[in-house]
Amino acid sequence: MHLKTHGIVLGQTPFGSQDKMLTLLTSDQGMITAIAKTPGRKKSRLSAASEVLAYSELTLFEGRTHYILDSADLENNFFKLREDLGKLSLAGYLCELTRFVIPQKETAAETLRLLLNTLYLLEKGARPNDFLKAVYELRLMCLSGFQPDVEGCAGCGETEGDFWLLPGEGVLACKDCLPDFLSSAEREPYRVPFPQAVRRAFFHVIQSEPGKIFSFKLSSDAEKLFADAAEAFTIFQTGGKFSSLDFYHSVMG
Ligand SMILES: [Zn+2]
């Protein structure tokens, strides 16, 4: 059975002596793996479409255990990202994180659109790397069923003032309630500063329509805290260890 869909390559590993196993995020099937056979005359086209970050219209053949990539029309490979190691390493992390959360069929189309928009803005240099990273992390977490509760303090319901985000719990604590959270936990919970500007940014990313997710601005101080909070939330909620994230940080210093 043949399947036509759009998809982006999130990862590739050698398969057998000559073929490649691709991890694809597709708009119709969610995340799938597909074998890209070393082709004869179709070689250059399929090879280009098998590279990480290649976005194509794909024709897949449904085999017994795997999909097999039959043909591909490359639409974008975000080539300019390769000219900037910081951007390229961030794109690598976005792919690794996406593979880790395994987007399901139901949210695949929106996740794919989010990833494409993020890569497009990253390639253009339209917004700072850390801003794009934070927006992607937070919205991806929401699409994957991990949504932080930023309505107010989880202890007393206060909505004014500055908070702490407890990323493992996905909740806020005000300064009056924080000692209770600290004393009731077995281990002192990790926490990050969460002022109102960051809370507004989180609200925006959580609630926005897909087309407006990136349409907000922050001061550079708030942007740094926003990025720290989104990353801490992502790491604590997934429990993931991402070598590409460590690499990104080492590149960006
Ligand atoms: Zn409180």
Side-chain angles (χ1 to χ4, degrees):
M1 203 184 106
H2 275 83
L3 166 76
K4 248 190 188 312
T5 185
H6 277 84
I8 187 166
V9 181
L10 298 177
Q12 56 146 272
T13 51
F15 185 76
S17 57
Q18 298 196 307
D19 301 337
K20 284 174 184 162
M21 177 69 81
L22 308 181
T23 303
L24 297 161
L25 176 61
T26 67
S27 53
D28 301 278
Q29 301 298 312
M31 202 171 90
I32 60 168
T33 53
I35 298 165
K37 299 222 179 243
T38 302
R41 59 192 169 79
K42 287 189 277 186
K43 180 166 179 142
S44 57
R45 269 190 150 191
L46 272 193
S47 311
S50 302
E51 296 298 324
V52 175
L53 299 176
Y55 173 66
S56 310
E57 185 178 22
L58 307 162
T59 306
L60 298 156
F61 178 74
E62 205 169 341
R64 267 194 309 162
T65 51
H66 292 290
Y67 288 97
I68 294 162
L69 182 58
D70 191 50
S71 66
D73 277 315
L74 184 69
E75 297 190 5
N76 196 342
N77 61 3
F78 301 99
F79 188 76
K80 286 192 87 175
L81 290 176
R82 289 160 182 78
E83 296 169 1
D84 181 317
L85 188 57
K87 290 180 179 184
L88 184 62
S89 62
L90 177 51
Y93 166 60
L94 301 183
C95 288
E96 188 181 3
L97 178 62
T98 310
R99 290 202 306 272
F100 190 88
V101 302
I102 313 177
Q104 301 299 301
K105 222 169 164 173
E106 297 71 34
T107 54
E110 196 186 335
T111 305
L112 178 60
R113 182 177 173 188
L114 175 68
L115 180 57
L116 293 172
N117 287 343
T118 307
L119 292 172
Y120 174 76
L121 294 170
L122 182 65
E123 186 178 40
K124 252 178 76 179
R127 305 298 294 269
N129 293 358
D130 281 343
F131 173 85
L132 296 172
K133 170 176 166 289
V135 173
Y136 186 78
E137 287 173 324
L138 181 55
R139 186 73 172 209
L140 178 69
M141 285 292 101
C142 293
L143 285 168
S144 307
F146 303 93
Q147 187 173 314
D149 179 0
V150 295
E151 289 290 334
C153 173
C156 66
E158 178 63 58
T159 58
E160 303 294 322
D162 294 338
F163 297 96
W164 295 94
L165 171 70
L166 309 177
E169 289 75 7
V171 300
L172 305 184
C174 73
K175 66 174 181 344
D176 296 331
C177 295
L178 183 67
D180 296 340
F181 282 101
L182 299 186
S183 61
S184 66
E186 274 176 38
R187 284 178 302 157
E188 186 167 309
Y190 187 76
R191 57 190 190 275
V192 288
F194 204 83
Q196 285 292 334
V198 175
R199 180 165 169 260
R200 282 192 296 274
F202 265 57
F203 264 127
H204 179 92
V205 175
I206 291 168
Q207 297 175 342
S208 161
E209 299 166 30
K212 294 184 178 162
I213 294 173
F214 297 95
S215 307
F216 67 102
K217 283 214 184 325
L218 289 160
S219 70
S220 59
D221 288 352
E223 198 164 273
K224 165 102 178 57
L225 295 174
F226 171 56
D228 290 347
E231 182 178 300
F233 179 70
T234 303
I235 299 305
F236 274 80
Q237 293 293 317
T238 59
K241 279 213 166 294
F242 304 105
S243 54
S244 55
L245 178 61
D246 297 337
F247 183 62
Y248 170 69
H249 284 307
S250 73
V251 169
M252 299 301 286

mmCIF file of all heavy atoms in Angstrom, residues 116-132:
data_model
loop_
_atom_site.group_PDB
_atom_site.id
_atom_site.type_symbol
_atom_site.label_atom_id
_atom_site.label_comp_id
_atom_site.label_asym_id
_atom_site.label_seq_id
_atom_site.Cartn_x
_atom_site.Cartn_y
_atom_site.Cartn_z
ATOM 1 N N LEU A 116 8.582 23.259 11.605
ATOM 2 C CA LEU A 116 8.955 23.948 10.359
ATOM 3 C C LEU A 116 9.038 25.458 10.580
ATOM 4 O O LEU A 116 9.979 26.114 10.120
ATOM 5 C CB LEU A 116 7.946 23.632 9.248
ATOM 6 C CG LEU A 116 7.924 22.176 8.752
ATOM 7 C CD1 LEU A 116 6.750 21.962 7.811
ATOM 8 C CD2 LEU A 116 9.236 21.802 8.070
ATOM 9 N N ASN A 117 8.068 26.014 11.299
ATOM 10 C CA ASN A 117 8.090 27.457 11.574
ATOM 11 C C ASN A 117 9.301 27.846 12.406
ATOM 12 O O ASN A 117 9.937 28.877 12.164
ATOM 13 C CB ASN A 117 6.812 27.889 12.297
ATOM 14 C CG ASN A 117 5.609 27.910 11.376
ATOM 15 O OD1 ASN A 117 5.755 27.917 10.151
ATOM 16 N ND2 ASN A 117 4.421 27.913 11.947
ATOM 17 N N THR A 118 9.634 27.013 13.398
ATOM 18 C CA THR A 118 10.783 27.303 14.257
ATOM 19 C C THR A 118 12.068 27.266 13.436
ATOM 20 O O THR A 118 12.919 28.163 13.547
ATOM 21 C CB THR A 118 10.853 26.289 15.413
ATOM 22 O OG1 THR A 118 9.596 26.259 16.090
ATOM 23 C CG2 THR A 118 11.939 26.676 16.411
ATOM 24 N N LEU A 119 12.214 26.249 12.603
ATOM 25 C CA LEU A 119 13.422 26.129 11.774
ATOM 26 C C LEU A 119 13.521 27.277 10.776
ATOM 27 O O LEU A 119 14.608 27.799 10.513
ATOM 28 C CB LEU A 119 13.418 24.780 11.030
ATOM 29 C CG LEU A 119 13.573 23.542 11.915
ATOM 30 C CD1 LEU A 119 13.348 22.275 11.090
ATOM 31 C CD2 LEU A 119 14.941 23.506 12.594
ATOM 32 N N TYR A 120 12.376 27.672 10.245
ATOM 33 C CA TYR A 120 12.354 28.782 9.288
ATOM 34 C C TYR A 120 12.832 30.080 9.947
ATOM 35 O O TYR A 120 13.686 30.799 9.406
ATOM 36 C CB TYR A 120 10.926 28.923 8.742
ATOM 37 C CG TYR A 120 10.730 30.116 7.852
ATOM 38 C CD1 TYR A 120 11.205 30.110 6.544
ATOM 39 C CD2 TYR A 120 10.069 31.251 8.317
ATOM 40 C CE1 TYR A 120 11.035 31.214 5.728
ATOM 41 C CE2 TYR A 120 9.883 32.352 7.510
ATOM 42 C CZ TYR A 120 10.374 32.333 6.219
ATOM 43 O OH TYR A 120 10.208 33.426 5.415
ATOM 44 N N LEU A 121 12.306 30.378 11.146
ATOM 45 C CA LEU A 121 12.708 31.597 11.859
ATOM 46 C C LEU A 121 14.170 31.521 12.301
ATOM 47 O O LEU A 121 14.887 32.522 12.305
ATOM 48 C CB LEU A 121 11.797 31.830 13.067
ATOM 49 C CG LEU A 121 10.331 32.143 12.729
ATOM 50 C CD1 LEU A 121 9.469 32.114 13.985
ATOM 51 C CD2 LEU A 121 10.212 33.503 12.036
ATOM 52 N N LEU A 122 14.603 30.317 12.668
ATOM 53 C CA LEU A 122 15.992 30.118 13.083
ATOM 54 C C LEU A 122 16.933 30.364 11.904
ATOM 55 O O LEU A 122 17.953 31.055 12.034
ATOM 56 C CB LEU A 122 16.146 28.687 13.610
ATOM 57 C CG LEU A 122 17.514 28.260 14.137
ATOM 58 C CD1 LEU A 122 17.891 29.057 15.381
ATOM 59 C CD2 LEU A 122 17.509 26.762 14.469
ATOM 60 N N GLU A 123 16.585 29.826 10.764
ATOM 61 C CA GLU A 123 17.412 29.998 9.571
ATOM 62 C C GLU A 123 17.496 31.472 9.168
ATOM 63 O O GLU A 123 18.554 31.973 8.794
ATOM 64 C CB GLU A 123 16.816 29.162 8.420
ATOM 65 C CG GLU A 123 17.681 29.147 7.169
ATOM 66 C CD GLU A 123 17.068 28.278 6.077
ATOM 67 O OE1 GLU A 123 15.827 28.306 5.900
ATOM 68 O OE2 GLU A 123 17.817 27.574 5.398
ATOM 69 N N LYS A 124 16.359 32.144 9.290
ATOM 70 C CA LYS A 124 16.321 33.566 8.931
ATOM 71 C C LYS A 124 17.022 34.453 9.948
ATOM 72 O O LYS A 124 17.343 35.608 9.665
ATOM 73 C CB LYS A 124 14.845 34.010 8.856
ATOM 74 C CG LYS A 124 14.361 34.262 7.439
ATOM 75 C CD LYS A 124 12.897 34.645 7.405
ATOM 76 C CE LYS A 124 12.634 36.066 7.846
ATOM 77 N NZ LYS A 124 11.195 36.420 7.771
ATOM 78 N N GLY A 125 17.219 33.923 11.165
ATOM 79 C CA GLY A 125 17.771 34.741 12.236
ATOM 80 C C GLY A 125 16.786 35.791 12.703
ATOM 81 O O GLY A 125 17.173 36.859 13.192
ATOM 82 N N ALA A 126 15.490 35.475 12.568
ATOM 83 C CA ALA A 126 14.446 36.450 12.874
ATOM 84 C C ALA A 126 14.314 36.719 14.369
ATOM 85 O O ALA A 126 13.941 37.823 14.766
ATOM 86 C CB ALA A 126 13.108 35.964 12.309
ATOM 87 N N ARG A 127 14.603 35.733 15.188
ATOM 88 C CA ARG A 127 14.523 35.881 16.646
ATOM 89 C C ARG A 127 15.737 35.179 17.264
ATOM 90 O O ARG A 127 16.328 34.301 16.639
ATOM 91 C CB ARG A 127 13.227 35.248 17.198
ATOM 92 C CG ARG A 127 11.923 35.754 16.585
ATOM 93 C CD ARG A 127 11.679 37.236 16.817
ATOM 94 N NE ARG A 127 11.450 37.624 18.197
ATOM 95 C CZ ARG A 127 10.257 37.694 18.778
ATOM 96 N NH1 ARG A 127 9.168 37.356 18.104
ATOM 97 N NH2 ARG A 127 10.132 38.090 20.019
ATOM 98 N N PRO A 128 16.103 35.563 18.507
ATOM 99 C CA PRO A 128 17.265 34.915 19.129
ATOM 100 C C PRO A 128 17.072 33.395 19.251
ATOM 101 O O PRO A 128 15.946 32.918 19.451
ATOM 102 C CB PRO A 128 17.324 35.552 20.522
ATOM 103 C CG PRO A 128 16.575 36.837 20.400
ATOM 104 C CD PRO A 128 15.518 36.605 19.368
ATOM 105 N N ASN A 129 18.188 32.673 19.162
ATOM 106 C CA ASN A 129 18.137 31.211 19.249
ATOM 107 C C ASN A 129 17.402 30.732 20.498
ATOM 108 O O ASN A 129 16.561 29.841 20.423
ATOM 109 C CB ASN A 129 19.561 30.630 19.286
ATOM 110 C CG ASN A 129 20.310 30.838 17.981
ATOM 111 O OD1 ASN A 129 19.756 31.381 17.022
ATOM 112 N ND2 ASN A 129 21.558 30.410 17.950
ATOM 113 N N ASP A 130 17.759 31.316 21.656
ATOM 114 C CA ASP A 130 17.177 30.829 22.912
ATOM 115 C C ASP A 130 15.673 31.103 23.001
ATOM 116 O O ASP A 130 14.941 30.347 23.631
ATOM 117 C CB ASP A 130 17.888 31.467 24.123
ATOM 118 C CG ASP A 130 19.224 30.788 24.407
ATOM 119 O OD1 ASP A 130 19.447 29.665 23.909
ATOM 120 O OD2 ASP A 130 20.038 31.385 25.138
ATOM 121 N N PHE A 131 15.233 32.177 22.376
ATOM 122 C CA PHE A 131 13.796 32.473 22.349
ATOM 123 C C PHE A 131 13.064 31.392 21.552
ATOM 124 O O PHE A 131 12.060 30.818 22.000
ATOM 125 C CB PHE A 131 13.565 33.857 21.728
ATOM 126 C CG PHE A 131 12.118 34.200 21.493
ATOM 127 C CD1 PHE A 131 11.342 34.752 22.501
ATOM 128 C CD2 PHE A 131 11.529 33.958 20.256
ATOM 129 C CE1 PHE A 131 10.000 35.058 22.284
ATOM 130 C CE2 PHE A 131 10.188 34.258 20.029
ATOM 131 C CZ PHE A 131 9.425 34.812 21.048
ATOM 132 N N LEU A 132 13.573 31.091 20.361
ATOM 133 C CA LEU A 132 12.942 30.084 19.511
ATOM 134 C C LEU A 132 12.955 28.717 20.189
ATOM 135 O O LEU A 132 11.976 27.969 20.134
ATOM 136 C CB LEU A 132 13.650 30.015 18.155
ATOM 137 C CG LEU A 132 13.541 31.292 17.320
ATOM 138 C CD1 LEU A 132 14.441 31.200 16.083
ATOM 139 C CD2 LEU A 132 12.100 31.547 16.891
#
